[in-house]
Amino acid sequence: MNYEIPNSFNWFAKLNLTQFIPWNFDSEINPNSSINEQFKIECEQNREVLTFGRRQDMDTFVGFEILDGKVTENVIVFHPSFGTNVKGWNIIESEHLDFFDFMQKRVLPEMKKWIPEDDVNDYIE
């Protein structure tokens, strides 16, 4: 299946703006990611995502919601349990109207908290 990725994300990916420590985004989104399937298994609301990134220090992921086989602008931040008994586990941490809303309300505040404690040289290759 060929998914049309929201243009806002494409701009970031094409400009190699993929590391916002502690968040990392995929420059190429893998529609066959096992994390997409894990979300589908654990989400009791029968929803789907196309994962495009994760937080490096925990098992928190982020993806665009898929509705009726199409990628939407809606961004879902989720934390899988990776357990076998997921009944009652709320996998969704937050939702955002679009990629920019996610960047503004989740990524940049977390980055601001992270920066004073880390050395940028640890992340430069």
Side-chain angles (χ1 to χ4, degrees), residues 35-44 46-48:
I35 302 302
N36 298 338
E37 188 60 31
Q38 191 64 36
F39 179 88
K40 194 173 180 181
I41 291 168
E42 293 191 35
C43 185
E44 294 179 340
N46 196 30
R47 295 168 80 182
E48 294 182 63

Side-chain angles (χ1 to χ4, degrees), residues 66-122:
I66 299 173
L67 287 174
D68 299 324
K70 294 183 180 184
V71 178
T72 68
E73 293 278 344
N74 191 47
V75 172
I76 298 176
V77 178
F78 61 99
H79 188 96
S81 69
F82 295 103
T84 53
N85 184 4
V86 297
K87 204 74 168 150
W89 173 257
N90 186 3
I91 190 170
I92 297 174
E93 286 188 5
S94 63
E95 293 190 55
H96 304 273
L97 297 173
D98 57 27
F99 185 72
F100 286 107
D101 187 57
F102 164 68
M103 290 296 293
Q104 179 183 24
K105 292 181 178 165
R106 183 77 188 239
V107 175
L108 294 177
E110 291 179 12
M111 188 178 190
K112 185 176 180 179
K113 288 178 187 174
W114 191 279
I115 286 174
E117 298 175 16
D118 267 23
D119 182 353
V120 71
N121 293 314
D122 293 341

Side-chain angles (χ1 to χ4, degrees), residues 9-69:
F9 180 84
N10 282 332
W11 270 85
F12 276 76
K14 299 288 185 208
L15 293 171
N16 293 319
L17 299 172
T18 57
Q19 290 192 14
F20 293 86
I21 306 302
W23 285 92
N24 294 309
F25 305 137
D26 302 328
S27 53
E28 301 254 343
I29 297 177
N30 178 6
N32 299 315
S33 168
S34 62
I35 302 302
N36 298 338
E37 188 60 31
Q38 191 64 36
F39 179 88
K40 194 173 180 181
I41 291 168
E42 293 191 35
C43 185
E44 294 179 340
Q45 301 167 12
N46 196 30
R47 295 168 80 182
E48 294 182 63
V49 295
L50 181 62
T51 305
F52 64 80
R54 73 174 293 174
R55 194 177 147 129
Q56 73 183 37
D57 61 330
M58 55 184 69
D59 288 333
T60 301
F61 298 86
V62 61
F64 292 108
E65 184 169 20
I66 299 173
L67 287 174
D68 299 324

